[in-house]
Amino acid sequence: MSNQSLNALEKRAAFSLASVFAFRMLGLFMLMPVLAIYGQSLEHVSPMWIGLAIGAYGLTQALLQIPMGWLSDKVGRKPVIIGGLVVFAIGSVIAAVADSIYWVTVGRALQGMGAIASALLALAADLSRDEQRPKVMAVIGMCIGLSFAVAMLLGPMVAASFGISGVFWLTAGLAILGIVIVSFVVPNALNRAPKGDTVASVADIKRLAKHPQLLRLDLGVMLLHLTLTTLFVVLPGQLIIGGLAAESHWQLYIPVLLAAFILMAPLMIIAIKKQKEKQVFLLSIFVLIFSALGLILLPTSIMSIALCMLFYFIAFNFLEATMPALVSRIAPANQKGSAMGVFSSGQFFGAFLGGILGGYLAQIGEANTVFAAAAGVGVIWLFIAWQMQIPPKSKVISLMADLSDQHRAEQLAEQLVALPGVIEATMVNDENRSYLKVNDKEFDINQAKQILGLN
């Protein structure tokens, strides 16, 4: 089997884990376009509680993702994943039978407590070779993005036929399907990836928090998802004001999202091929700001809302795809997983803050107040991102090494970093492993293996 392609085990792991990830995220996303409309029949409903219910899962996700990753190191990946899906299903059932917005919010928080993202990614890393791991992660990432588009279609359709409870019953069913896939389809781990590839540690988090470029990206993804959740607190209601019935909202969401995915491609090409990554990144933030302002300045009509949403999601998709890759390139060679853990926590925390902000502003003001706040958040992000630095393209390779003493580790690190194409070399004694951040076009892995005595 060529090292340039996924083997049968890696393909099975990639697509089965991606499906579990997608089913779970589908259950979380489906509520966003419908709760503000169909949740009005719940007791004690208010704009503030609508926002809190939409974003509640983000708080528990952000708080528990890293601890659940640590737990998967102790008791195994599959038990943690299955347990998280059980908690997610219980939260879905509680929300499905709820007759008040309070219990819907409790159910959403429980859904978030099934924080299995880090354990899923860790298992994906366990089941893939170093050189193929980025492909496995890319498959998972694409399925997560697809789940958002599917949620925009299914959410309004299910809610129109079965109400909010129908959405939650469907998410519970998807969680059970996920348990079946994990139990009978996902392979058992035949090897374990280095911890640096998977789960964050407290010491790593402290170090990463001091890294100015990573901090810009962590704050960026938090603000990006803050704007998304904030907008969806009031956007469905604006579509109804514009003349589009609630059961027909999917007819707008799907064309807009598909067009946004297609139109994002030129941005990616310009950024990568023309080496204009920073310029396109900042331009995308500008587009976010002006799409939110457009919802204020343009007349409330279906066409104007669709146009603003199209530009918003072109920018959103580009930023959502670009930032994880930048985190991976900037992160120290042995802390890639830790950096991604902090980044993902910021993403979920942003969803929570967006629900709070959108709900509060919708309660004290009107939809334009919420849109203005989303634009203001974009301005703050633009200020934060202005000084960002784009690192050279690189990949991380980890190799076993005999690090019996500190002196030998230092010698090996000096020899490795002197090799052509090696940007950074980190030796981790307690793992007996070397992490190399390399320029793939210049790096010869056989030279590194020769230094480490692996040939």
Side-chain angles (χ1 to χ4, degrees), residues 29 40 56 58 62 69 87 94 113 157 206 215 246 305 316 353 394:
F29 288 146
Q40 297 301 321
V87 172
I94 289 174
M113 289 179 69
M157 293 176 69
K206 290 180 179 178
L215 181 59
I305 294 174
F316 180 93
L353 292 178
S394 64

Side-chain angles (χ1 to χ4, degrees), residues 22-288:
F23 288 152
R24 183 175 165 281
M25 297 308 293
L26 183 63
L28 292 173
F29 288 146
M30 276 197 298
L31 196 70
M32 290 181 61
V34 299
L35 184 60
I37 299 170
Y38 295 95
Q40 297 301 321
S41 61
L42 295 168
E43 295 179 6
H44 312 297
V45 70
S46 69
M48 181 67 190
W49 276 98
I50 290 288
L52 186 58
I54 289 176
Y57 80 91
L59 178 62
T60 46
Q61 280 279 333
L63 293 176
L64 294 178
Q65 184 177 177
I66 292 173
M68 291 285 275
W70 288 336
L71 184 62
S72 76
D73 280 338
K74 301 296 183 183
V75 304
R77 312 296 191 205
K78 282 194 172 184
V80 169
I81 294 170
I82 292 172
L85 288 170
V86 169
V87 172
F88 182 87
I90 292 172
S92 300
V93 171
I94 289 174
V97 301
D99 56 8
S100 78
I101 192 67
Y102 301 153
W103 281 106
V104 169
T105 305
V106 170
R108 287 283 283 178
L110 272 174
Q111 284 183 323
M113 289 179 69
I116 58 173
S118 56
L120 278 169
L121 293 176
L123 182 55
D126 291 345
L127 292 166
S128 56
R129 294 163 291 168
D130 287 348
E131 64 273 15
Q132 298 302 325
R133 198 162 294 141
K135 295 180 184 178
V136 174
M137 299 301 182
V139 171
I140 293 174
M142 286 188 292
C143 286
I144 294 173
L146 181 61
S147 69
F148 182 82
V150 174
M152 294 297 104
L153 169 64
L154 277 183
M157 293 176 69
V158 173
S161 300
F162 305 102
I164 286 293
S165 63
V167 174
F168 284 115
W169 283 119
L170 179 56
T171 62
L174 291 173
I176 293 170
L177 180 57
I179 292 171
V180 173
I181 293 173
V182 173
S183 300
F184 300 106
V185 182
V186 175
N188 293 313
L190 303 178
N191 65 292
R192 293 183 71 85
K195 290 182 181 179
D197 278 351
T198 55
V199 180
S201 70
V202 174
D204 287 343
I205 292 171
K206 290 180 179 178
R207 285 191 291 268
L208 294 169
K210 299 177 183 178
H211 196 299
Q213 298 306 321
L214 287 175
L215 181 59
R216 283 188 172 88
L217 293 170
D218 295 337
L219 291 173
V221 75
M222 183 186 75
L223 296 176
L224 178 63
H225 282 262
L226 190 156
T227 64
L228 178 68
T229 314
T230 297
L231 290 175
F232 270 96
V233 171
V234 296
L235 197 56
Q238 293 298 103
L239 289 174
I240 292 177
I241 293 173
L244 188 63
E247 61 271 16
S248 301
H249 284 190
W250 64 271
Q251 297 175 10
L252 181 143
Y253 291 138
I254 295 306
V256 164
L257 288 170
L258 289 176
F261 274 116
I262 294 170
L263 294 174
M264 177 190 68
L267 290 181
M268 298 294 292
I269 293 170
I270 294 171
I272 296 172
K273 298 294 185 181
K274 303 295 184 181
Q275 297 183 341
K276 300 289 186 181
E277 288 180 270
K278 180 175 179 178
Q279 292 90 328
V280 178
F281 192 98
L282 295 176
L283 174 64
S284 297
I285 301 176
F286 269 113
V287 172
L288 287 180

